[in-house]
Amino acid sequence: MRALEWRNRKVRFIDQTKLPLEEYFIETDDEVVVAHAIKSLAIRGAPLIGIAAAYGFVLALNKLSENETPKRSSHIEKTHNLFASTRPTAVNLFWALNRMKHIALRALNEPLATFKITVLAEAKAIHAEDEEMCRTIGAWGAEALPNAATILTHCNTGSLATGGAGTAQSVIATLWEQHKLKHVYIDETRPLLQGARLTAWELKNLGIPATLITDNTAAFLMQLGLINAIVVGADRIAANGDTANKVGTYSLAVLALHHAIPMYIAAPTSTIDFEITSGKEIPIEQRSGTEVTSILGKQIAPHGVEVYSPAFDVTPNELISGIITEQGVLRKPYREAIASLKISSSKGRE
Ligand code: MRU
């Protein structure tokens, strides 16, 4: 299943806030609808946010007409700002936006039809590259993980979060195809339940044996010896390997150390922020307290209670056993491993 696609000059996506109870698709030619969907988590997951913003860019520029050539650069800037203000943590968003802006500015004086074709081709390339990266991440990860793997995962990292089979979930699916997977345990992932609602739904559809647990069951599972690897995704990886991912990932890494369980991050290189030296510089999104005080619209905490709800936390690099990318599995020291990655200049990083 494709969580998002370009179809008939429109963006078509599944509204992830309604899953798994309803499979509801939205089709739009309005970039504001796409930006709102990212903000509300109808479209979510670091790589998919980047892909959505890239197509959103196309929708915005498609609105330009022939006599508006002088307006193109201000329109590009405005669109960049619209999407850059949706969610702050996943760097894939800014990576994709920079690529789109770079290519659009380069084609600024082209005839309108060529300008639009160029911009759409870049968005499609971002999508196709992500699909391919998912495949390769799966292959590298399956090689690195133990046989008869019993994996604990957190949040959602599958086709709902990427342009392909996923990141951590692609590793899981590849292990399953290779008959090397015994079982998956899924953290429910409070407060928005991406594990319970999305990962459980995806693994069920794939026929992969999985058990849903509450987040606070993870330690006990490890103590019982039921987990031999943890694999999660990432929203932003600093140049030293410190990794921001869904809140709760850091506690899994601390638990993994205590129980001598390998802790893997699976992410494409578009999730690496080469500009920041450590996790301290990663902006952490704060979510509304109502996401904690209510579940599926039902109030569960006293009205007016104070809430602290960061969407992500940062796992220090020393707690990470390996970072599975499309270029292979990075090992410590991460600063050197990350610096040696091949990043093509066409990726338009500014
Ligand atoms: O708030 P979300 O649901 O967008 O958070 C998603 C995650 O934290 C994922 O683990 C991460 O984006 C990796 S997805 C391949």
Side-chain angles (χ1 to χ4, degrees):
M1 205 236 12
R2 287 204 130 188
L4 182 144
E5 61 187 339
W6 180 256
R7 197 191 268 194
N8 302 328
R9 299 168 57 84
K10 289 185 178 156
V11 172
R12 182 177 190 268
F13 61 91
I14 192 161
D15 180 347
Q16 299 193 30
T17 62
K18 295 197 180 344
L19 284 171
L21 304 179
E22 203 184 332
E23 293 179 32
Y24 180 73
F25 284 85
I26 295 173
E27 233 177 67
T28 184
D29 59 2
D30 187 353
E31 75 279 9
V32 178
V33 171
V34 178
H36 178 72
I38 294 174
K39 234 182 180 141
S40 65
L41 271 65
I43 297 171
R44 47 146 300 283
L48 195 70
I49 293 173
I51 295 164
Y55 285 128
F57 222 94
V58 178
L59 293 179
L61 299 189
N62 270 353
K63 286 180 180 165
L64 284 167
S65 57
E66 205 67 68
N67 52 2
E68 290 182 313
T69 311
K71 273 201 199 162
R72 282 188 199 173
S73 64
S74 65
H75 209 61
I76 291 168
E77 204 52 48
K78 207 174 118 202
T79 308
H80 184 279
N81 296 343
L82 167 74
F83 284 101
S85 65
T86 52
R87 298 191 73 190
T89 304
V91 79
N92 309 62
L93 171 68
F94 304 95
W95 171 85
L97 285 175
N98 285 344
R99 260 180 84 160
M100 295 306 294
K101 187 171 154 183
H102 179 79
I103 213 84
L105 288 176
R106 237 177 40 193
L108 205 58
N109 297 313
E110 298 286 339
L112 188 63
T114 320
F115 176 71
K116 289 182 179 176
I117 289 169
T118 307
V119 171
L120 176 59
E122 187 69 0
K124 284 185 171 171
I126 288 173
H127 197 169
E129 284 166 28
D130 191 68
E131 187 172 6
E132 181 52 30
M133 288 194 279
C134 288
R135 223 187 321 274
T136 332
I137 287 170
W140 284 115
E143 223 178 278
L145 283 233
N147 244 323
T150 47
I151 293 178
L152 175 63
T153 192
H154 192 65
C155 197
N156 172 263
T157 62
S159 60
L160 290 169
T162 64
T167 55
Q169 198 167 295
S170 176
V171 175
I172 289 169
T174 310
L175 282 166
W176 177 243
E177 279 157 30
Q178 297 177 355
H179 309 286
K180 283 162 68 180
L181 179 76
K182 215 165 135 195
H183 204 78
V184 182
Y185 289 91
I186 311 164
D187 273 352
E188 63 172 347
T189 319
R190 273 287 282 150
L192 293 179
L193 302 168
Q194 286 93 331
R197 294 188 305 107
L198 309 177
T199 304
W201 182 73
E202 287 198 302
L203 293 186
K204 192 161 184 279
N205 290 345
L206 292 169
I208 294 176
T211 301
L212 180 64
I213 58 164
T214 59
D215 297 331
N216 39 16
T217 303
F220 187 47
L221 272 189
M222 294 185 212
Q223 193 181 49
L224 292 175
L226 289 173
I227 306 293
N228 63 19
I230 298 170
V231 194
V232 297
D235 288 82
R236 192 183 294 227
I237 302 172
N240 70 344
D242 291 351
T243 295
N245 189 48
K246 181 55 59 194
V247 67
T249 302
Y250 172 47
S251 35
L252 293 183
V254 174
L255 288 168
L257 179 72
H258 181 77
H259 294 94
I261 295 167
M263 167 84 191
Y264 284 98
I265 302 291
T269 50
S270 53
T271 306
I272 299 176
D273 187 344
F274 296 85
E275 314 293 327
I276 60 168
T277 54
S278 86
K280 289 200 178 76
E281 294 166 68
I282 300 177
I284 299 294
E285 177 183 6
Q286 298 296 323
R287 301 288 304 177
S288 158
T290 56
E291 293 177 348
V292 178
T293 54
S294 61
I295 297 181
L296 299 177
K298 190 175 172 6
Q299 183 79 18
I300 53 146
H303 287 283
V305 68
E306 197 180 305
V307 176
Y308 173 59
S309 183
F312 305 97
D313 60 24
V314 178
T315 300
N317 65 73
E318 62 270 20
L319 298 183
I320 298 168
S321 314
I323 301 176
I324 307 162
T325 75
E326 78 281 7
Q327 292 184 35
V329 182
L330 311 182
R331 304 279 182 184
K332 291 171 195 147
Y334 290 113
R335 200 177 291 285
E336 282 81 344
I338 288 173
S340 71
L341 288 169
K342 287 189 285 299
I343 303 296
S344 93
S345 57
S346 71
K347 289 191 175 166
R349 286 208 341 263
E350 290 177 338

